[in-house]
Amino acid sequence: MLTTVLHAATKAGREISKIYRSEIGVEYKADLSPITKADRKGHAIIVDYLKRNTDIPILSEEGANIPYETRADWSEYWLIDPLDGTKEFINRNGEFTVNIALIRGGLPVLGVVYAPVKQWLYIGIEGEGAWRLELENHQLPADWNSVGNKLPLQHSNKGKYTIVGSRSHASKETDEYITKLEALHTNLDFISMGSSLKICLVAEGKADLYPRLAPTMEWDTAAGDAIARAAGCKVIQYGTGEPLRYNKENLLNPWFIVQR
């Protein structure tokens, strides 16, 4: 099943990269959020792979109109965002990802995040750990778990307290939260990053904290959440300290914190 997910993510990433280098084709949904040819292409590839190789139901950002009455009976399901960071894709800064997660009992137990331009592949499996690979030509090595780097890696900013934040979705509340942290940490560093790569940077050990005091949807976070948890990080609701839960009636996430 993991092999299926890895191939689905990398094949979708390859095709998304082709569109990234050509005509993006931007349209807008009813809520005025952007959607591109790459969102649709990635969705079609991943759904095809998962349907052909598993019997597990699928919830995707590009097919999120499944009634809660149907979803409520799912003991497990795939939760995917075929192109997380559409604004980063449109701006062509390379900071977008393909996200695939397996949700079981409302919690993410497997997650794959692939950044096609950077060719960074993150994998997280409950009870087994998390890894980071750097691919070439979107090819997955057969022995990925031996050539990949086990997370967390050594922190690259020793002596500094590093926060990672959104490049395209800053909020007043997040700015205020960071200001409070500046009073606690005299040697504070900040990294701007797009998409679920922010969560992965904490899992990797390159950042200590990612505060998200702004809206996200369940498909935005699930794969990164699985990776972070597998790497020993906490992904918790802001204000309560409870883990994020999935397959809620309302698919909007509460504010949350990812921390080492």
Side-chain angles (χ1 to χ4, degrees):
M1 190 159 61
L2 176 60
T3 300
T4 293
V5 177
L6 294 175
H7 284 295
T10 52
K11 182 175 180 181
R14 180 192 295 274
E15 295 304 311
I16 287 170
S17 293
K18 292 178 182 177
I19 298 171
Y20 181 73
R21 296 191 297 268
S22 60
E23 178 58 43
I24 290 175
V26 182
E27 299 176 8
Y28 291 89
K29 302 178 186 178
D31 62 0
L32 301 182
S33 62
I35 184 171
T36 70
K37 291 190 294 184
D39 293 86
R40 295 190 174 96
K41 184 68 173 179
H43 169 84
I45 290 170
I46 296 168
V47 168
D48 178 64
Y49 257 88
L50 297 180
K51 283 186 174 180
R52 282 192 290 112
N53 293 283
T54 78
D55 296 322
I56 300 172
I58 301 166
L59 179 64
S60 170
E61 179 182 9
E62 307 313 329
N65 55 348
I66 299 173
Y68 178 67
E69 290 73 15
T70 299
R71 293 189 285 109
D73 293 330
W74 293 352
S75 60
E76 62 178 2
Y77 68 101
W78 297 112
L79 181 54
I80 67 177
D81 189 345
L83 179 55
D84 181 34
T86 301
K87 290 184 178 179
E88 317 307 332
F89 181 83
I90 293 169
N91 293 332
R92 286 191 163 95
N93 64 22
E95 296 176 2
F96 56 88
T97 57
V98 176
N99 299 345
I100 307 176
L102 179 64
I103 308 298
R104 185 174 291 148
L107 299 174
V109 296
L110 182 153
V112 171
V113 169
Y114 184 46
V117 171
K118 301 176 183 296
Q119 295 195 69
W120 296 346
L121 179 65
Y122 295 89
I123 303 164
I125 308 169
E126 183 183 51
E128 296 188 31
W131 295 263
R132 178 187 185 273
L133 289 77
E134 294 190 19
L135 306 187
E136 294 184 8
N137 299 317
H138 307 285
Q139 293 296 315
L140 182 71
D143 56 345
W144 63 266
N145 54 349
S146 61
V147 300
N149 294 303
K150 193 77 180 283
L151 302 184
L153 303 176
Q154 184 177 7
H155 198 299
S156 60
N157 286 322
K158 281 191 172 181
K160 292 185 177 181
Y161 191 81
T162 304
I163 300 172
V164 61
S166 177
R167 189 177 297 281
S168 300
H169 300 280
S171 72
K172 180 187 70 173
E173 291 82 1
T174 303
D175 290 341
E176 292 173 350
Y177 182 80
I178 293 172
T179 299
K180 292 178 181 178
L181 289 176
E182 288 175 336
L184 300 174
H185 301 275
T186 56
N187 203 1
L188 196 70
D189 196 18
F190 187 84
I191 302 172
S192 291
M193 185 63 68
S195 71
S196 57
L197 287 173
K198 295 183 288 294
I199 301 177
C200 292
L201 288 185
V202 179
E204 192 173 350
K206 289 187 175 179
D208 297 289
L209 181 74
Y210 165 39
R212 182 64 183 217
L213 311 188
T216 58
M217 302 301 291
E218 290 187 6
W219 48 74
D220 295 319
T221 60
D225 189 347
I227 293 163
R229 295 187 197 210
C233 300
K234 296 179 180 178
V235 184
I236 55 176
Q237 298 179 38
Y238 176 75
T240 71
E242 294 295 319
L244 288 186
R245 301 288 301 190
Y246 294 85
N247 204 23
K248 305 185 303 298
E249 182 170 5
N250 184 344
L251 296 170
L252 181 69
N253 284 324
W255 292 354
F256 63 89
I257 304 289
V258 184
Q259 63 186 24
R260 297 216 55 78

